[in-house]
Amino acid sequence: EYLVPTPSAAGERREIRVVGAWTLGRVSELELSLGKYAWPDGDLLLDGSALELLDTAGAWLLFRTLRTLEGAGRKVELLGLKPEFAALMEMITARGAEASVAQPPRLSRLERLGRNFAAHLEQTAGMLAFIGEAAVAGWRLLRQPSRMRLRPVLHNIQSAGVEALPIVGLLSFLIGVVVSYQGASQLARYGASIFVADLVGLSMLREMGPLLTAIIVAGRSGSAFTAQIGTMKVTEEVDAMRTIGIPPMELLVLPKILALSIALPLLTVYADILGVFGGMVMAKTQLGINFHDFLDRFDKAVSLAAFMVGIGKSLAFSLIVALVGCFQGFRVGGSADSVGSQTTVSVVQAIFLVIVMDAVFSVIFSWLKI
């Protein structure tokens, strides 16, 4: 027992002796004992003269106990402590008072709006500076190709491209099935079933294939880029690289950009094939259009320009995903919690910018009549 009640006369304050060793090694026992202890009613006097040992952990538990009792409306007094224990309790009490008084100021809506706008403006400026730094590093690499490290590039192609084939193929096939299924019921009403090849081909090659692949890669590989670089920042590996003269931009960022610029267009071609195949399967099932007729109409409806538009989009999307993922990784602070929050921000920003860029491309291609 760490608390021993002392007999007292009726109407007097109840006296409880604090005994034993209140130290870090016995925190679990202290927590259990305090949780089970039946505190008497009324005001209390805690006698610490029999306290044998007290460290910071024990003093904090004792301070928390006093605050809890005072919060219940009781008057509690702690007396009889040894001088060194009393000094420790005074320090803990002062720190605890500061922690309880220090509260974040309440901000008005206008001030919160201004702070959020300033934060987004600062992040945008940082992103532009990061893009410029990556461009300078890329130009320097073009002038000195021997500085390129092929092993990180091949590793990122493996992780961001080859390992993404199953999920990209499955979702593209299902999207092709859905587009063909939704279009088949409408086209059949007008006797234009064969035009399902136009619908599936143009939608997959120009829009759905590049966009779907970029979103999958942003959620899968862009987040991995952020988590990897962020973890290296937390463990100070990035600082160690700078110390020994290795530019993090050349080792961590440029290989990822180059790898994703190769992998994403190839994944888009793969997604186009699987999506069109899914549309062919559904067209045969729903409309009775065999593969030969579907491909014959597909060849007439879809031009090479439509295919190249999708590939061009995928290249732009790869730059967005890689740059956002690496940039948010370098913004990670000094804690593991920051890695998770910046990874979430990376995925959201990458997907948002990919969709915005797709909309911009649509306007530009419509204006150019492509």
Side-chain angles (χ1 to χ4, degrees), residues 65-108:
T65 303
L66 295 174
R67 279 299 179 88
T68 303
L69 293 172
E70 291 174 352
R74 305 182 185 187
K75 292 182 180 180
V76 185
E77 190 174 0
L78 177 63
L79 300 174
L81 290 175
K82 297 177 182 179
E84 59 271 23
F85 295 166
L88 181 58
M89 282 301 300
E90 288 178 5
M91 184 188 70
I92 294 296
T93 302
R95 297 288 185 180
E98 291 175 3
S100 61
V101 171
Q103 296 180 355
R106 296 176 64 102
L107 303 177
S108 65

Side-chain angles (χ1 to χ4, degrees), residues 7-334:
S8 59
E12 296 183 357
R13 286 189 297 178
R14 300 296 182 92
E15 183 176 332
I16 298 175
R17 298 180 64 193
V18 183
V19 300
W22 289 53
T23 58
L24 179 62
R26 299 187 178 183
V27 166
S28 58
E29 297 178 21
L30 285 165
E31 289 275 10
L32 186 62
S33 178
L34 290 172
K36 292 182 178 180
Y37 190 75
W39 295 95
D41 297 331
D43 298 338
L44 300 174
L45 175 63
L46 300 184
D47 181 10
S49 58
L51 193 60
E52 299 174 4
L53 294 174
L54 182 70
D55 63 5
T56 307
W60 178 256
L61 281 176
L62 190 56
F63 168 76
R64 192 185 66 182
T65 303
L66 295 174
R67 279 299 179 88
T68 303
L69 293 172
E70 291 174 352
R74 305 182 185 187
K75 292 182 180 180
V76 185
E77 190 174 0
L78 177 63
L79 300 174
L81 290 175
K82 297 177 182 179
E84 59 271 23
F85 295 166
L88 181 58
M89 282 301 300
E90 288 178 5
M91 184 188 70
I92 294 296
T93 302
R95 297 288 185 180
E98 291 175 3
S100 61
V101 171
Q103 296 180 355
R106 296 176 64 102
L107 303 177
S108 65
R109 292 183 179 179
L110 183 60
E111 188 171 359
R112 287 199 302 270
L113 179 63
R115 287 174 179 265
N116 291 334
F117 178 76
H120 284 88
L121 198 63
E122 182 270 333
Q123 187 170 165
T124 302
M127 183 65 181
L128 292 175
F130 183 80
I131 294 173
E133 187 178 353
V136 171
W139 174 250
R140 186 166 57 244
L141 203 63
L142 287 176
R143 295 177 61 184
Q144 299 176 341
S146 59
R147 298 173 63 93
M148 172 57 67
R149 295 170 171 84
L150 292 179
R151 187 181 294 272
V153 175
L154 295 176
H155 171 74
N156 284 290
I157 291 177
Q158 167 73 22
S159 60
V162 178
E163 295 178 5
L165 287 174
I167 184 64
V168 171
L170 177 61
L171 292 183
S172 299
F173 178 82
L174 294 177
I175 290 295
V177 169
V178 170
V179 171
S180 180
Y181 179 78
Q182 295 295 330
S185 59
Q186 301 300 321
L187 293 173
R189 297 180 181 181
Y190 303 99
S193 301
I194 191 61
F195 290 105
V196 72
D198 302 54
L199 176 64
V200 173
L202 291 174
S203 62
M204 287 303 303
L205 269 62
R206 286 182 64 103
E207 295 294 334
M208 300 303 297
L211 186 61
L212 178 66
T213 305
I215 290 175
I216 294 173
V217 171
R220 186 183 177 279
S221 302
S223 60
F225 293 167
T226 304
Q228 179 191 0
I229 297 176
T231 304
M232 293 179 70
K233 279 208 66 180
V234 171
T235 57
E236 300 182 354
E237 293 179 62
V238 175
D239 295 332
M241 290 171 56
R242 291 193 178 102
T243 302
I244 62 178
I246 300 177
M249 187 66 66
E250 292 186 7
L251 184 63
L252 299 178
V253 178
L254 292 184
K256 291 178 172 55
I257 294 176
L258 181 58
L260 213 57
S261 299
I262 296 172
L264 194 57
L266 295 177
L267 282 173
T268 301
V269 175
Y270 176 70
D272 292 342
I273 295 172
L274 268 294
V276 172
F277 179 69
M280 291 170 59
V281 172
M282 185 53 62
K284 182 175 178 60
T285 304
Q286 290 292 111
L287 302 174
I289 300 174
N290 58 47
F291 290 175
H292 181 271
D293 294 337
F294 187 98
L295 291 176
D296 182 65
R297 179 60 195 176
F298 179 84
D299 182 57
K300 298 177 182 177
V302 180
S303 62
L304 180 62
F307 173 73
M308 295 308 298
V309 163
I311 299 302
K313 285 183 178 181
S314 67
L315 184 60
F317 295 161
S318 68
L319 295 177
I320 291 175
V321 172
L323 286 171
V324 170
C326 295
F327 171 69
Q328 294 299 335
F330 281 106
R331 287 179 62 86
V332 169

